[in-house]
């Protein structure tokens, strides 16, 4: 089931990485499907418009998931991704490229939030962290696929590849069961019991119903569900923690590197070929994300965040220092042309071990059942709004402050995340959803 759900995360990752190899094609008169090559302003919009859809997308399942269920929301997200992929195949002008990015963002927002909610609710406490981090692994695999295949195939072929995978995703969603927590919210004890038996978690029946005790099954349809995010202590604390981490995550500049990886290496004057360096970064992200599930239930969420954010800060500071050396035309820069690649490899390895995966895992397990979809949407969309601003303003930041100061600012965000985690983030390892709520009440 987790595999069927996570195929959608692969498509989301593919959408994130798609712009890096596609932008050079759209700048090449021989490779672009457009009547002309794109401008620098259009490049920025193609990179960042994904966030426009992603900001809106999560609010669709946040409203519908308690009304029609988690499973239909996953299906609708898959259909949105399918629409965007069809547009890739038939692109004729830059407006269609913009539409691809916005609709992909809508699908990404729906699928990401629905995945986190669904996986967090079907998994037992001893493997929940592993399954929640696995969503990131599959997403990173999709980004790596875009990095690896995109430079070597035509623009349209990148769409055909995603189309085949997305069809498998939509079909797979049809066969998964509905979340037992959704059945519990609706008071459907028999359906919840049957689903838990299917999942091998029949002993968790009481815990599932306890986790939604006092929840009005219809409150997800009203403004009261939104009010309770802020008025209930546990939801409010969950929102502060997840929103802060997700925001600081985006302020670390991760979207900038993912969308403009090839451009960054070219502007840094790295001695490594940009397309090869981009693939190496994608492979590093995948390797690190594969390690994360094996340590998340041993080391815990909190320690991984602390270690990850420190090394992210160091690596981005180092990259900023390289840009500073090139800006002042230091002879040393010519002898360390490998440093941008090493810095970003260290950044992404550290990022995927904790900073890139743990905030999403916490989003999937900290909110109460009645606020899980809504709270997740607020946290994720606010962060994506920040990411949109960072991605859109990256070119201006480099022109005004220089690459050195820009990446030093990203480094400071990682340091702030370390301090916030140390002071405010609790450990949720091995705890049931009900136990997490009890801990947040204290």
């Amino acid at each position: 089931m987790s595999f069927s759900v996570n195929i959608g995360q692969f498509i989301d990752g593919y959408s994130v990485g798609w712009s890096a190899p596609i932008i050079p094609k759209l700048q090449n008169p021989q490779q672009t499907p457009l009547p002309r090559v794109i401008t620098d302003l259009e490049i920025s919009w193609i990179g960042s418009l994904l966030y426009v859809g992603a900001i809106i997308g999560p609010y669709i399942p946040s409203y519908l998931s308690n009304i029609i269920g988690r499973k239909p929301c996953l299906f609708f997200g898959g259909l949105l991704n399918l629409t965007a992929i069809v547009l890739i195949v038939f692109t004729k002008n830059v407006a269609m490229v913009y539409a691809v990015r916005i609709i992909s963002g809508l699908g990404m927002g729906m699928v990401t939030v629905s995945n986190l909610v669904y996986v967090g609710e079907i998994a037992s406490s001893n493997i929940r962290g592993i399954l929640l981090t696995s969503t990131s692994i599959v997403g990173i695999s999709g980004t790596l696929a875009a990095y690896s295949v995109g430079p070597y195939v035509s623009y349209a072929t990148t769409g055909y590849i995603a189309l085949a995978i997305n069809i498998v995703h939509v079909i797979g969603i049809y066969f998964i069961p509905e979340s037992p927590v959704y059945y519990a919210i609706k008071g459907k004890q028999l359906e919840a019991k049957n689903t838990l038996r299917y999942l091998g978690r029949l002993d968790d029946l009481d815990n599932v119903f306890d986790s939604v005790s006092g929840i009005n099954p219809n409150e997800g349809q009203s403004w009261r569900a939104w009010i309770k995010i802020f008025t209930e202590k546990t939801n409010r604390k969950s929102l502060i923690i997840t929103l802060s981490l997700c925001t600081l995550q985006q302020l670390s500049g991760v979207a900038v590197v993912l969308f403009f990886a090839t451009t960054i290496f070219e502007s840094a004057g790295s001695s490594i070929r940009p397309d090869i360096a981009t693939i190496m970064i994608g492979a590093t992200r995948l390797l690190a994300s594969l390690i994360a599930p094996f340590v998340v239930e041993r080391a815990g969420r909190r320690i991984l965040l602390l270690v990850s954010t420190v090394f992210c800060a160091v690596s981005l500071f180092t990259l900023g220092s390289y840009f500073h050396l090139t800006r002042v035309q230091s002879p040393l820069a010519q002898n360390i042309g490998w440093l941008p690649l090493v810095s970003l490899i260290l950044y992404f390895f550290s990022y995927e071990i904790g900073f890139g995966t743990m905030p999403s895992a916490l989003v999937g397990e900290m909110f109460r059942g009645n606020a899980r979809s809504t709270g997740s949407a607020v946290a994720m969309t606010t962060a994506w709004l920040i990411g949109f601003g960072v991605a859109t303003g990256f070119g201006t930041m480099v022109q005004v402050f220089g690459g050195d100061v820009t990446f030093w600012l990203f480094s400071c965000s990682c340091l702030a995340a370390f301090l916030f985690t140390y002071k405010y983030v609790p450990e949720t390892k091995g705890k049931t959803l009900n136990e997490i709520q009890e801990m947040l009440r204290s």
Side-chain angles (χ1 to χ4, degrees):
M1 284 176 298
S2 180
F3 173 78
S4 297
V5 170
N6 281 340
I7 296 176
Q9 209 69 40
F10 182 95
I11 297 296
D12 289 348
Y14 192 90
S15 298
V16 170
W18 182 79
S19 62
I22 288 301
I23 285 174
K25 293 183 186 298
L26 298 180
Q27 293 176 300
N28 188 324
Q30 281 72 47
Q31 293 185 308
T32 181
L34 309 181
R36 59 172 177 79
V37 297
I38 56 176
T39 65
D40 290 341
L41 179 61
E42 288 167 341
I43 289 173
S44 296
W45 282 111
I46 290 170
S48 60
L49 278 176
L50 185 75
Y51 276 112
V52 172
I55 291 165
I56 302 169
Y59 289 99
I60 302 173
S62 75
Y63 178 78
L64 293 178
S65 63
N66 282 355
I67 301 174
I68 62 176
R70 279 58 164 157
K71 179 178 173 178
C73 290
L74 287 166
F75 185 78
F76 292 153
L79 289 181
L80 281 171
N81 282 335
L82 188 64
T83 302
I85 293 166
V86 170
L87 287 177
I88 291 176
V89 175
F90 294 103
T91 295
K92 298 298 181 183
N93 53 59
V94 73
M96 291 184 70
V97 181
Y98 290 162
V100 167
R101 298 299 279 170
I102 294 173
I103 297 172
S104 292
L106 282 169
M108 184 174 78
M110 282 200 69
V111 169
T112 299
V113 170
S114 298
N115 277 3
L116 292 175
V117 172
Y118 182 82
V119 173
E121 293 178 349
I122 67 168
S124 58
S125 59
N126 62 319
I127 62 169
R128 189 175 58 244
I130 294 174
L131 292 183
L132 285 170
T133 52
S134 73
T135 62
S136 296
I137 295 173
V138 181
I140 292 164
S141 299
T143 302
L144 176 58
Y147 285 168
S148 302
V149 176
Y152 309 110
V153 299
S154 68
Y155 176 93
T157 301
T158 63
Y160 285 118
I161 293 170
L163 181 63
I165 298 170
N166 200 83
I167 289 173
V168 173
H169 172 238
V170 172
I171 294 173
I173 293 299
Y174 177 81
F175 294 99
I176 65 174
E178 182 54 84
S179 161
V181 175
Y182 169 72
Y183 285 136
I185 291 174
K186 292 297 186 181
K188 298 181 178 181
Q189 186 167 359
L190 179 60
E191 288 86 346
K193 187 175 182 179
N194 289 337
T195 299
L196 288 170
R197 182 184 291 112
Y198 178 76
L199 296 170
R201 294 179 52 204
L202 191 56
D203 293 341
D204 286 339
L205 183 63
D206 290 338
N207 286 331
V208 168
F209 274 85
D210 286 344
S211 70
V212 299
S213 62
I215 295 176
N216 183 339
N218 296 316
E219 75 176 6
Q221 304 177 40
S222 71
W223 56 269
R224 292 183 180 86
W226 291 89
I227 295 298
K228 286 192 174 184
I229 298 177
F230 305 98
T231 57
E232 290 188 358
K233 182 179 180 180
T234 57
N235 287 335
R236 187 169 61 249
K237 289 180 69 174
S238 299
L239 181 63
I240 291 171
I241 291 170
T242 56
L243 180 59
S244 298
L245 286 176
C246 289
T247 298
L248 290 169
Q249 181 192 70
Q250 292 299 319
L251 288 174
S252 75
V254 60
V256 165
V257 182
L258 290 176
F259 292 163
F260 307 112
T262 305
T263 307
I264 289 172
F265 281 108
E266 289 175 347
S267 62
S270 172
S271 59
I272 311 296
R273 274 179 50 186
D275 56 336
I276 300 299
T278 302
I279 293 173
M280 292 176 69
I281 286 176
T284 299
R285 294 184 67 216
L286 180 60
L287 174 63
S289 65
L290 288 171
I291 295 173
F294 293 100
V295 296
V296 64
E297 295 298 348
R298 294 187 180 184
R301 283 64 155 163
R302 191 169 184 272
I303 188 65
L304 285 178
L305 271 171
L306 291 171
V307 172
S308 172
T309 49
V310 164
F311 281 97
C312 284
V314 171
S315 58
L316 289 174
F317 181 83
T318 303
L319 180 60
S321 299
Y322 178 85
F323 271 93
H324 180 73
L325 292 175
T326 57
R327 185 164 67 88
V328 300
Q329 298 181 338
S330 170
L332 179 60
Q334 298 179 359
N335 298 324
I336 53 173
W338 44 266
L339 189 59
L341 177 60
V342 172
S343 297
L344 287 178
I345 284 177
L346 176 60
Y347 168 73
F348 274 115
F349 188 87
S350 306
Y351 178 86
E352 300 302 343
I353 284 291
F355 201 15
T357 53
M358 292 307 107
S360 296
L362 291 172
V363 165
E365 64 185 8
M366 293 193 73
F367 291 98
R368 291 193 71 198
N370 64 328
R372 190 163 293 122
S373 294
T374 306
S376 300
V378 172
M380 299 299 289
T381 55
T382 303
W384 282 333
L385 181 61
I386 301 293
F388 171 74
V390 173
T392 304
F394 174 65
T396 302
M397 290 176 67
V398 172
Q399 289 178 0
V400 175
F401 302 116
D404 46 2
V405 175
T406 297
F407 283 99
W408 285 338
L409 289 172
F410 294 158
S411 176
C412 289
S413 177
C414 297
L415 183 59
F418 170 84
L419 296 173
F420 180 84
T421 300
Y422 181 79
K423 187 168 180 63
Y424 296 110
V425 177
E427 182 54 73
T428 59
K429 181 185 73 170
K431 292 181 171 61
T432 66
L433 296 177
N434 201 37
E435 289 171 339
I436 293 172
Q437 292 303 305
E438 291 296 328
M439 178 178 60
L440 291 171
R441 289 190 184 98
S442 61

